[in-house]
Amino acid sequence: MAERSPKLQRAYDLKSKAEAETVYDEWAADYDADMIEGMDYVAPANAANRLVDLAGGDPGPVLDAGCGTGLVGTALAARSVPVIDGVDLSQGMLDQARARGVYRHLNKADLTQRLDIADDSYSAAICVGTITDGHVGPEVFDELVRVVRPGGLVVATVAHVWESRKVGEHIDTLVAQGLVHLREADEWESVRGENVHCRIPVLEVR
């Protein structure tokens, strides 16, 4: 496999939340140019389109968990989704997302901890680019399922770590507990310019 872009590899090599916050704060202003123009990052659009297609249109209020600069929110807004809230660890990334004007609320949050969001607050949640090397593990699904009301969808991208972080096993546990139904977990392109693929599991909350 060809060497990764240094910036992308740095993100995959993150070792702590403090390091992640620093790296993304520093990267925020150039992130879109680097990822979209430089690397053809298609995961945000792919996941957002899949959510809207499976919901048959506007899924209702959507939580964009790990929203970054707002690429997912922009893709959802382009599909006429009117109510989108975002959370992210990096204030720099949140500032970029706010400038897009597509989010109702944007708040700083750590996806490895319980979110300051009431149960059943959203009709759907989407999480793109966070379940991967150097970021968060499959435990984030527990919180996303908690904040999405029954019948709602949770859509995420999982790059590199489906087996190593036992993502599939974690989802199977949620299924066995009767909390979700796994509708699909297909492989999609993620970062075309870096030949990165991901799975996009879609969970229907029970």
Side-chain angles (χ1 to χ4, degrees):
M1 180 183 293
E3 278 191 30
R4 297 268 186 244
S5 152
K7 288 187 177 180
L8 187 59
Q9 191 60 55
R10 187 184 184 196
Y12 287 152
D13 290 341
L14 293 170
K15 297 294 190 293
S16 69
K17 283 182 281 189
E19 183 183 6
E21 192 169 355
T22 297
V23 165
Y24 279 104
D25 279 349
E26 293 174 352
W27 196 6
D30 297 325
Y31 184 85
D32 291 358
D34 289 340
M35 291 299 294
I36 299 295
E37 298 166 26
M39 300 183 218
D40 199 8
Y41 183 36
V42 295
N46 284 344
N49 286 330
R50 196 70 192 125
L51 171 59
V52 175
D53 289 346
L54 288 172
D58 174 22
V62 177
L63 175 66
D64 182 4
C67 63
T69 63
L71 296 174
V72 169
T74 299
L76 289 171
R79 293 293 304 273
S80 300
V81 177
V83 182
I84 313 160
D85 293 342
V87 295
D88 199 273
L89 182 66
S90 163
Q91 187 59 53
M93 301 294 265
L94 288 167
D95 291 343
Q96 296 293 319
R98 184 168 288 106
R100 293 179 180 276
V102 298
Y103 289 92
R104 178 180 63 174
H105 301 303
L106 286 164
N107 292 292
K108 193 170 180 179
D110 179 355
L111 293 181
T112 69
Q113 304 295 321
R114 183 182 175 88
L115 297 172
D116 187 20
I117 298 171
D119 295 358
D120 303 337
S121 292
Y122 292 94
S123 296
I126 188 165
C127 185
V128 174
T130 66
I131 307 173
T132 188
D133 296 317
H135 292 64
V136 304
E139 296 79 11
V140 69
F141 282 112
D142 300 355
E143 278 298 279
L144 300 183
V145 168
R146 180 183 68 78
V147 303
V148 171
R149 58 189 63 124
L153 298 177
V154 174
V155 176
T157 64
V158 181
H160 309 304
V161 296
W162 186 266
E163 287 82 16
S164 64
R165 297 292 295 273
K166 299 182 178 179
V167 177
E169 291 182 25
H170 193 89
I171 291 173
D172 287 344
T173 297
L174 295 175
V175 172
Q177 292 172 341
L179 297 175
V180 302
H181 165 62
L182 176 61
R183 293 186 58 167
E184 60 188 47
D186 298 334
E187 185 172 297
W188 293 69
E189 288 183 306
S190 178
V191 188
R192 283 178 178 159
E194 299 286 314
N195 194 30
V196 175
H197 289 72
C198 66
R199 289 205 195 196
I200 302 184
V202 177
L203 312 183
E204 182 176 328
V205 179
R206 296 299 198 185

